[in-house]
């Protein structure tokens, strides 16, 4: 591949991302979730459903299904890795951190393996893909059953 | 018919007229394959708009001073050009709107809503743009009428027999897209209009993707309504046209109220203005329509025959080249097509494809193309779509194909 | 407060920014006194629009490629500027329309029509522009509601006590013009809003003549709706804003259906998009709003305080100079006025006056100014109106007065 | 008065015009007209009512009232001078002649004293004023009671 900035696009589609996108972890409908919410990205038609089992303010199980681009699926998959076992408070703080870090309003680094998402910062039109699952997670936690969007 | 070299030199000449095409994006010369979403403007349009603002701007219709007179002449001159462009019988039939969307909403609210009720039906097709779906859904909600849908087949060809079978006496209007923006299908609107008229049903044609690519003659078509947008035919945004037969416009109540659409206002009684002004409330997008007039001149200068021919040739080339790619699925393979090719490449999501292509300077559209029912029909979340205009050439297509190859490698 | 020389040099500096002002009309340097109808654009606006078309144009919101992203940033950036300009609480409250007229029609159809019925009332004033009369007349026809009118006095001052006395529980909305385009009266909208709110009645302010002349703070005003046009505040035609409180917009059904205003469409069920997009169907006037953003920057650069001060000073001068003329009748002599003076000169019809002035390079507006009820009130067929903007100066006023003297001689 | 083209504006407001505008002939409502019509010029709010008494296809009486600028009043007044005593056919032909001549679609000279209106040709925005009365006359003759406009 020729052209300037190849490293940037390779960074966006680095192997961690492609791997999560191809074989997303915890993909599938949950039987009896305590919380659930849908996320829609009107830009590209991505649509994720997040399922949570919350016990005593702790996320004891999480899964998701739906359709999306590599970025949104990978982000959802990595999110499920990250938040399983977290307290609601920890998860809420991660949601904020990921949002701020990806849309550039904070220079904080992304925690742990989420670092793989950072290439998205160079692609403002794709930030919404990366944050979709996180928006939906927030909506699921608040669980008023509404649809989360990334506007 | 032009010889191949003629076509090539013609396309290159035309391309020179469009400043936006001569730039680098992400370090590569831009390849713009998104004209179905919005076309670029030739210099003559951009300059006309700027010159208008520099020398001739004032409000129209109500002033006796020189600038107001010049502005009115330029604005109404654009109407004459547009009337000629679509061969309307009279300038009174050319209503200026903000775009195709507003034009269809106008028909929905002013023509249909007053006569619709439970049991009445509005017939559209499965390949409509949201602009020709949602306005009718709103009217249905408001009146209790029902929206019914004529099917298409796997190639994206409209099932006209099924459509004709749905034409009964409760159908108040047929709304049909001339050229599908998602599939490229050219619908046989002449036949549909004839069959609908045989049952005395009026027809609205969504011509958003019609006007930039072929000569339109509304009198020959004989449709009741024809709607289109300026920004898809190389004019400025915020402009559009509703063509409608005069007798229908005469009988319709106004859409919006305000200045210019009235002859006389008192608190007791208001007398509406003549056509087309009855449907143009408030200060219009004067500079936009002046620019659209210049776009008409430009298109007529090139010649719609030439445009159709150039695009047909290039579309064939593009379809052939795309077909070479491993794992490609073409969406929209009707026999009669124009200037658009949707596709899916392997299991690469269209959105990822869009980003990887953009990275190589190639601009395509990805997603649902405001035609979600089409996506539902093909059971895909979205497609990648390359669309052509008179300024595209084979080199653009080659760049598209090689960029797609790169994407395949990345996702291999 | 600026000293007089400062004002003069400031006005001359501003004037240099507007190319249309630097031309001859009928052999004389143009004196443009018709900004209340439509203002001229500074070079920065004209250039921004052209540069956008040359480099950044594509359709907004739905594209992943670079141009689409740039276009979206420019368009949504303009929304942020406008939200800041009127101090809206959130960009979600800033709905882009084609102008004041469409903004008011939107409120009439989406807010009022669903809740109006026989016995309900809509209260406006006697000095409204047709844009704030006819949309309500249409709703009244559609629903059986009644349009009622608060009176004014011979100076063109609103009778607020009479207005308050009309506020009862059947009044669904008060619609009031911020600054009258025919009379120049600045209405005490803060008081009106407070009194209406005390009775839980929402208020729409027609701000078409407000925004170009004074700083607007919709949160301080606390109005439910504020409508204005881009072309009166030095921006392009075909642009306007409906500011509305978020809770109201949330509860309102969409106005038009189409692309961009939906999240999801199927033939069974359609989910509308978030605010403000729910009210923006179809491809918007992208270049127009990008230009309007530049106009906001320009106005903020000059400073609305400065604009008000320059215009107030010049209006006083103009009124004084006009009063010197034999047989002049000033129409609109309220204490609190902005930038507009209507008048009648002896028995010279305003239309003849307009032609004779134009012949001397002086552009004024003549006729009913889309405010026929005002004309009926003063029992005149029309008036001559000179209106000021930040680029006018005393020389313009002197030219106006001497041109009027010539007209008097011709008709002597 | 200074400035270029003074002669043109003096031509528009020549004394014949000003005289007709100040003291229009046959101004006033007619008691029992056989035909009547209104003309409205939405541009400036001019509004004329034309009254005719037609007997055996001949205009035996004509009058008008309303408000208008000097050009429209003068034109109405001169029209009444011209058409009184004419046959319907003659009047219709004059209506066409005046329209074509003033809007420039014909180079034919204006008949008789109507020649005084010719200055209006240089002022396209004023042509509608000069033709208003003639439009209304046409409408009165056809007498479907509709409002004539100058669009
Ligand atoms: C007070 C007032 N309201 C409304 C309008 C209508 O504005 P627009 O024609 O831009 O929609 C105008 C301008 O003509 C105005 O002056
Ligand atoms: C087929 C079709 N119809 C309608 C529209 C709507 O046009 P606009 O957004 O200009 O109103 C479009 C373009 O988006 C289209 O392609």
């Amino acid at each position: 591949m020729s052209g300037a900035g190849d490293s940037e696009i390779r960074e966006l589609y680095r192997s961690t991302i492609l791997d999560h996108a191809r074989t997303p972890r915890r993909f599938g409908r949950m039987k009896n979730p305590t919380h659930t919410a849908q996320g829609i990205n009107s830009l590209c038609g991505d649509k994720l459903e997040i399922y949570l089992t919350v016990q005593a303010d702790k996320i004891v199980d999480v899964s998701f299904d739906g359709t999306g681009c590599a970025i949104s699926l990978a982000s959802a998959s990595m999110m499920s890795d990250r938040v399983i076992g977290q307290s609601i408070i920890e998860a809420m703080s991660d949601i904020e951190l990921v949002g701020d870090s990806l849309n550039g309003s904070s220079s904080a680094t992304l925690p742990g393996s989420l670092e793989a998402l950072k290439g998205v910062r160079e692609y403002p039109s794709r930030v919404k893909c990366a944050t979709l699952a996180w928006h939906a997670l927030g909506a699921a936690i608040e669980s008023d059953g509404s649809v989360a969007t990334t506007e | 018919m032009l010889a191949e070299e003629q076509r090539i030199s013609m396309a290159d000449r035309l391309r020179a007229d469009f400043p936006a095409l001569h730039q680098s994006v992400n370090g590569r010369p831009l390849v713009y394959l998104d004209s179905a979403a919005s076309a670029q403007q030739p210099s003559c349009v951009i300059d006309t708009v700027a010159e208008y603002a520099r020398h001739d701007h004032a409000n129209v219709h109500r002033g006796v001073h020189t600038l107001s007179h010049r502005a009115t002449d330029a604005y109404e001159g654009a109407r004459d050009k547009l009337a000629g462009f679509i061969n309307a019988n009279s300038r009174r039939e050319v209503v200026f709107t903000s775009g195709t969307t507003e034009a269809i909403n106008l028909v929905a609210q002013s023509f249909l809503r007053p006569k619709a009720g439970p049991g009445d039906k509005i017939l559209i097709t499965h390949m409509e743009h949201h602009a020709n779906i949602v306005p009718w859904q709103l009217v249905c909600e408001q009146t209790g009428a029902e929206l019914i849908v004529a099917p298409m087949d796997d190639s994206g060809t409209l099932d006209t027999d099924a459509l004709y079978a749905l034409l009964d006496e409760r159908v108040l209007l047929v709304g049909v897209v001339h050229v599908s923006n998602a599939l490229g299908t050219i619908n046989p609107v002449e036949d549909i209009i004839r069959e609908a008229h045989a049952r005395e049903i009026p027809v609205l044609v969504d011509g958003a993707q019609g006007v930039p690519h072929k000569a339109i003659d509304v009198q020959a078509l004989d449709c009741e309504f024809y709607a289109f947008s300026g920004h898809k035919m190389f004019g400025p945004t915020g402009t559009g046209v509703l063509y409608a037969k005069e007798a229908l416009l005469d009988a319709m109540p106004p859409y919006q109220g305000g200045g210019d659409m009235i002859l006389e206002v008192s608190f007791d009684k208001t007398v509406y203005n003549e056509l087309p002004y009855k449907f143009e409330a408030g200060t219009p997008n004067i500079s936009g329509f002046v620019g659209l007039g210049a776009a008409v001149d430009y298109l007529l200068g090139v010649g719609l025959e030439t445009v159709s021919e150039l695009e047909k040739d290039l579309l064939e080339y593009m379809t052939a080249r795309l077909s070479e790619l491993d794992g490609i699925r073409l969406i929209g393979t009707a026999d009669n097509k124009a200037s658009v090719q949707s596709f899916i490449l392997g299991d690469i999501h269209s959105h990822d494809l869009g980003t990887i292509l953009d990275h190589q300077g190639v601009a395509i559209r990805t997603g649902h193309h405001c035609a979600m029912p089409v996506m539902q029909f093909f059971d895909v979340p979205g497609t990648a779509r390359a669309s052509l205009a008179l300024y595209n050439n084979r080199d653009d297509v080659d760049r598209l194909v090689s960029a797609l190859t790169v994407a395949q490698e990345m996702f291999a």
Side-chain angles (χ1 to χ4, degrees), chain B residues 336-348:
Chain B
N336 198 9
K337 279 192 55 187
S339 68
V340 159
Q341 187 60 61
S342 273
F343 58 91
I344 288 170
L345 190 62
D347 57 0
I348 311 179

Side-chain angles (χ1 to χ4, degrees), chain B residues 75-327:
Chain B
Y75 177 74
E76 293 299 333
R79 194 189 312 276
D80 290 329
K81 289 178 187 180
L82 281 147
F85 183 62
I86 57 170
N87 194 30
N89 185 43
S90 142
R91 66 196 317 278
R92 298 160 62 88
E93 302 182 323
V94 177
V95 176
F96 282 168
T97 68
S98 61
T100 305
T101 301
E102 184 175 74
I104 298 177
N105 278 277
L106 191 166
V107 176
Q109 293 294 315
S110 285
F111 175 73
L112 210 71
R113 184 173 182 178
K115 62 179 71 177
D120 289 325
K121 293 183 276 192
I122 303 152
L123 172 58
I124 60 173
T125 83
H126 206 115
M127 68 179 88
E128 298 307 317
H129 185 280
H130 295 165
N132 205 20
I133 302 174
V134 187
W136 312 119
Q137 290 182 324
L138 292 174
V139 173
C140 288
E141 232 166 75
Q142 287 154 352
T143 64
E146 190 194 349
L147 187 64
I148 59 173
V149 181
M152 60 178 173
D153 70 17
D154 285 347
S155 72
T157 305
L158 184 63
D159 183 343
T160 46
D161 287 338
L163 187 149
Y164 301 152
L166 288 166
L167 292 171
D168 67 32
E169 70 285 352
R170 295 310 298 267
V171 173
L172 297 180
L173 183 87
V174 175
V176 58
V177 70
H178 200 162
V179 177
S180 156
N181 67 307
L183 300 169
T185 313
I186 303 176
N187 283 312
V189 288
E190 301 78 357
D191 299 343
I192 295 169
I193 293 163
R194 192 176 356 91
E195 292 292 326
H197 284 183
R199 297 159 181 84
E200 289 176 3
I201 301 170
V203 178
L204 175 143
V205 179
D206 170 356
Q209 303 289 345
V211 283
H213 304 296
K214 47 193 291 193
I216 302 300
D217 180 336
V218 290
Q219 291 191 71
L221 282 177
D222 197 31
C223 53
E224 276 63 30
F225 302 103
Y226 196 94
F228 58 99
S229 296
H231 70 99
K232 308 221 193 236
M233 52 178 278
F234 318 104
T237 51
T239 62
V241 170
L242 172 66
Y243 160 81
K245 287 186 180 167
E246 185 163 344
L248 295 177
L249 288 176
D250 262 332
M252 285 156 61
Y255 180 50
Q256 299 192 328
D260 244 32
M261 54 70 75
I262 55 86
L263 271 186
E264 221 184 328
V265 171
S266 73
F267 293 122
D268 308 323
K269 171 187 127 210
T270 286
V271 183
Y272 304 130
N273 204 342
E274 309 202 321
L275 295 178
Y277 309 108
K278 182 170 105 179
F279 291 100
E280 294 181 9
T283 305
N285 185 356
I286 310 169
S287 64
F289 284 101
V290 172
L292 185 56
V296 168
D297 289 342
Y298 182 81
L299 262 169
L300 293 179
V302 177
L304 271 299
E305 289 307 314
T306 307
V307 171
S308 298
E309 199 186 320
L310 289 172
E311 289 181 8
K312 190 168 161 25
D313 177 68
L314 194 57
L315 179 66
E316 270 167 30
Y317 180 73
M318 181 162 78
T319 308
R321 293 277 349 246
L322 287 174
S323 306
E324 294 166 11
L325 292 166
D326 266 357

